Amino acid sequence: LELPSDVKEARQGGVFIALDFADLSEALVLTNAIGPQHQLYKIGLELFTAYGPLSVSQLIAENKKIFLDLKLHDIPNTVAGACRSIAKLGAEFLTIHAEGGAEMIRAARITCDEEAGRYAKPPLKLLAVTRLTSLASTPEQVTQLAILAQESGAHGVIASPLEASAIKKNCGEDFLVVCPGIRRQDSTVDDQRRVSTPGAAADAGADYIVVGRPITRAKNPAVSLKEISDEFLAGKKHKGG
Ligand code: C5P
């Protein structure tokens, strides 16, 4: 399966702010506090199950780029159907579980490609969740799942910065790696088990990082974003030579 041209563009990367809110108006207060120049936001199960497509369309109306973190995992036909519905919404990234298997991932990818031409929207790109951080895993297991996801048509994976460099080595630079579990040095880790700094994630080869509470619960979210984003982008630039 061919890599779409916009994957190269997607590799510019950045910081996805996780909008883990139960209330859409709270999410919009946050996006306003951050300001119009920042576009990357992640909508997860909490907001999406409460507001559905409206949560995506409201943010797209504000010119945001949406990563829809729904972690799909079902039989291929059902996941393909969900992808068909999601393609209409205009999100740019969607998560599916690598453990759903090759056939499920392939069905999702074929559907995304079929739907891509129908709407005046960027094509939906698939990010495979390798192994949930709440479950035990080995680096080999995670790398194997990343390879399976890539061979089956995923555009990238969600992984910890500790696994990112092995994934890039095995899957190549154009296979996107998106890393959650990010904290600045000296900050609280909340319920994250293993954390990395934005700089360490950049060094490991992350294209994007996902950051929630360190920004959404900061006294000044815009300042927190700037600190995190500066550290991440400086690290990426350094790595790129
Ligand atoms: O607030 P915090 O920065 O910990 O939020 C991290 C975000 O990344 C949450 O939306 C969480 O669901 C997501 N995530 C994660 N670890 C994973 C996969 C997703 O923290 N392994």
Side-chain angles (χ1 to χ4, degrees):
L1 287 161
E2 220 176 278
L3 206 65
S5 58
D6 67 326
V7 166
K8 295 240 189 280
E9 191 191 315
R11 285 215 54 223
Q12 289 169 4
V15 180
F16 274 106
I17 301 177
L19 292 173
D20 293 323
F21 295 106
D23 192 329
L24 183 55
S25 61
E26 263 186 72
L28 294 171
V29 167
L30 193 265
T31 61
N32 282 331
I34 294 290
Q37 69 291 346
H38 187 80
Q39 290 186 301
L40 305 177
Y41 286 93
K42 179 172 90 77
I43 293 178
L45 289 170
E46 189 176 4
L47 198 57
F48 195 77
T49 48
Y51 293 88
L54 180 70
S55 60
V56 180
S57 60
Q58 288 253 323
L59 285 153
I60 288 178
E62 297 201 5
N63 205 25
K64 305 307 183 195
K65 293 186 176 176
I66 303 304
F67 165 8
L68 201 47
D69 188 14
L70 300 183
K71 297 188 174 71
L72 303 182
H73 189 170
D74 208 317
I75 58 169
N77 186 59
T78 301
V79 168
C83 288
R84 200 164 298 118
S85 297
I86 291 163
K88 292 193 187 94
L89 307 181
E92 296 201 20
F93 294 94
L94 169 70
T95 46
I96 55 173
H97 271 284
E99 287 180 320
E103 227 192 299
M104 186 204 81
I105 299 167
R106 213 168 282 130
R109 173 63 190 271
I110 288 167
T111 306
C112 290
D113 286 357
E114 280 171 0
E115 297 299 307
R118 278 185 206 248
Y119 309 100
K121 287 170 177 163
L124 186 59
K125 285 177 281 298
L126 296 170
L127 299 173
V129 175
T130 50
R131 185 103 174 120
L132 291 172
T133 37
S134 50
L135 303 173
S137 67
T138 63
E140 295 71 32
Q141 221 175 4
V142 170
T143 306
Q144 277 315 113
L145 282 166
I147 292 168
L148 168 96
Q150 183 181 38
E151 286 174 352
S152 312
H155 302 95
V157 283
I158 310 294
S160 125
L162 306 171
E163 297 145 355
S165 60
I167 292 169
K168 285 283 186 183
K169 194 153 15 114
N170 281 276
C171 300
E173 286 300 315
D174 287 336
F175 190 58
L176 299 172
V177 175
V178 179
C179 296
I182 305 298
R183 294 292 180 272
R184 295 196 79 212
Q185 212 95 50
D186 310 325
S187 70
T188 64
V189 300
D190 301 308
D191 61 350
Q192 291 287 5
R193 288 223 203 141
R194 293 176 304 168
V195 299
S196 293
T197 63
D203 280 347
D207 297 292
Y208 292 91
I209 52 177
V210 175
V211 184
R213 289 159 291 181
I215 294 172
T216 59
R217 297 198 186 164
K219 265 201 209 111
N220 188 330
V223 168
S224 174
L225 169 66
K226 184 167 178 1
E227 288 168 356
I228 288 167
S229 179
D230 284 353
E231 183 183 326
F232 181 60
L233 296 177
K236 269 172 75 76
K237 206 166 157 193
H238 178 251
K239 192 176 162 68

